[in-house]
DNA sequence: TAATAGTATTAACAATGTTAATAATATGAA
DNA sequence: TTCATATTATTAACATTGTTAATACTATTA
């Protein structure tokens, strides 16, 4: 990486960090390019020397946040654990993490950031998809005899959709249920779905 | 209703209709108070004589759209039909309707319109909640012997969350699957969940 | 030291929602 | 009908948004 590129990357990170701070404090809607410039200690227009537009900056923020998210979600993996129990923990953790990071949810599922720049697309693509991890764990449940092999796909689809639906309600509809209650529901649902049919 | 009130209501409907047109053509994000004024044949500022702000106007639009939506969803009810089949149709219809009316989804689940004005809250509250209707049908499935009584709640929660999750993917993440495929998945999932456990 | 390339800043633009000031119109009384 | 008043619509204005063009500044290199 050239000298120039190192410096440019550093500048980019200044703006990205500033943006992330504002995002956490005030949310996506209240972020503005002026605020980011202020917080980073530069004029607002300087941003446009390093990012195509605000959406590109936000895409970099998203990539950063996904990094953390995946790290957090990965370390729930405990080999010793029963796959069914593992799946429950995974579902809980997934829900909880997004519930506590509404901005991530917004950027990832709600906001339209336009085309993802290649540099970031690579970064995001390499990360193991959430769906895959879920399917894998459900697959283990099948091997452990909890469910049938041919149920894996339906269950994976059902579970991912359900968790995201609950997130939508929790974060967007000032939903009736507090977080802990929803977590309980998720636990119950997975418990219901993954069990030996007698 | 006084004369003045009739006229005011008529004026309101001009703006509401104009807004709905624009919403359907261009979506929530591209709607502006200026465009609404133009389309309705008035100056933009006139709107503020009849609505507190743009959010209030949008809330009225939403109420209007919900009217149509409920009408559409209600007439799937066929008494002769098996409750399981009824539930499948209902789920399909629900998904399809929102998939075809992304603006409704946005206004109802995504956008924050602030406090709902009383006049509209009444209107929206009277309408039978979607969740209720679903629970009722699932209850019928229990009575018909498909599932157990104590499964009704979990299944209702699971199904609503799942369908909304799928809508989120379809409408917000330029989702991989076309509408018909998702409808197929929904059918399969309901079929999987509602069946006599042997 | 002077010329040039690279980078940051200010100024400016068009579009947004909203409010205050003004114009037009309808209403009611004489 | 005509004038005074209340109602309603419009234009002007403001602050804020993202973005771009013009300008100032700061390194680098000859």
């Amino acid at each position: 990486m050239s000298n120039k590129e190192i410096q440019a990357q550093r500048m980019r990170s200044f703006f990205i960090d500033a943006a992330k701070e504002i995002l956490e404090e005030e949310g996506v809607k209240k972020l503005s390019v002026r605020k980011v410039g202020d917080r980073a200690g530069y004029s607002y227009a300087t941003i446009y020397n390093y990012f195509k537009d605000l959406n590109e900056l936000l895409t970099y923020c998203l990539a950063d946040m996904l990094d953390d998210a995946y790290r957090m979600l990965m370390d729930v993996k405990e080999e010793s654990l029963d796959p069914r129990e593992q799946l429950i923990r995974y579902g809980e953790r997934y829900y909880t993490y997004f519930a506590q990071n509404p901005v991530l949810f917004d950027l990832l599922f709600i906001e339209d950031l336009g085309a993802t720049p290649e540099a970031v697309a690579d970064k995001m693509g390499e990360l193991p998809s959430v769906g895959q991890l879920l399917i894998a764990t459900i697959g283990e449940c099948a091997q452990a005899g909890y469910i049938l092999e041919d149920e894996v796909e339906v269950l994976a689809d059902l579970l991912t959709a359900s968790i995201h639906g609950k997130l939508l309600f929790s974060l967007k509809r000032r939903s009736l249920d507090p977080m802990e209650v929803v977590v309980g529901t998720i636990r119950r649902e997975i418990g219901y779905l993954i069990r030996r049919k007698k």
Side-chain angles (χ1 to χ4, degrees), chain A:
Chain A
M1 188 149 51
S2 80
N3 246 0
K4 292 272 159 249
E5 194 43 47
I6 290 177
Q7 293 168 19
Q9 183 55 45
R10 204 180 346 250
M11 283 295 280
R12 247 176 258 127
S13 78
F14 292 156
F15 292 117
I16 292 171
D17 291 343
K20 278 171 67 182
E21 283 177 31
I22 298 170
L23 284 173
E24 284 190 18
E25 291 169 16
E26 312 190 40
V28 182
K29 252 203 143 180
K30 293 204 162 184
L31 177 129
S32 81
V33 65
R34 256 104 172 166
K35 283 186 193 169
V36 176
D38 264 14
R39 172 86 59 137
Y42 287 92
S43 163
Y44 50 87
T46 308
I47 291 171
Y48 291 89
N49 290 335
Y50 299 94
F51 301 94
K52 181 174 141 288
D53 54 20
L54 184 59
N55 274 344
E56 188 174 290
L57 170 55
L58 285 178
T59 307
Y60 277 89
C61 289
L62 171 58
D64 243 48
M65 291 174 170
L66 276 182
D67 259 2
D68 302 339
Y70 279 115
R71 234 191 308 283
M72 185 62 83
L73 290 173
M74 280 312 203
D75 75 357
V76 200
K77 197 86 186 173
E78 276 185 39
E79 293 303 336
S80 63
L81 224 57
D82 183 64
R84 182 168 177 270
E85 205 55 39
Q86 178 71 45
L87 187 65
I88 291 177
R89 289 212 191 173
Y90 184 73
E92 287 180 359
R93 179 70 75 100
Y94 188 84
Y95 171 84
T96 307
Y97 192 83
F98 278 99
Q100 287 170 342
N101 296 274
V103 173
L104 176 60
F105 184 81
D106 275 359
L107 290 180
L108 190 54
F109 296 116
I110 309 278
E111 219 69 26
D112 183 15
L113 302 178
T116 316
E118 288 184 34
V120 186
D122 287 354
K123 195 178 176 185
M124 287 168 60
E126 280 174 13
L127 295 165
S129 121
V130 172
Q132 292 308 109
L133 216 155
L134 206 80
I135 291 180
T137 314
I138 295 183
E140 292 175 28
C141 288
Q143 287 183 335
Y146 283 110
I147 53 170
L148 302 175
E149 274 296 343
D150 64 352
E151 293 177 308
V152 171
E153 203 191 327
V154 207
L155 287 174
D157 206 90
L158 201 48
L159 264 181
T160 39
S162 169
I163 293 181
H164 287 95
K166 287 183 206 310
L167 279 170
L168 178 69
F169 284 146
S170 297
L171 296 178
K172 286 301 164 178
R173 296 286 77 182
R174 27 210 161 302
S175 168
L176 336 115
D177 301 325
M179 214 184 74
E180 311 85 41
V181 174
V182 182
V183 169
T185 309
I186 291 176
R187 188 180 308 130
R188 207 173 326 125
E189 285 179 7
I190 300 182
Y192 173 81
L193 290 176
I194 310 293
R195 58 171 180 185
R196 301 175 207 284
K197 311 294 189 302
K198 56 169 181 296

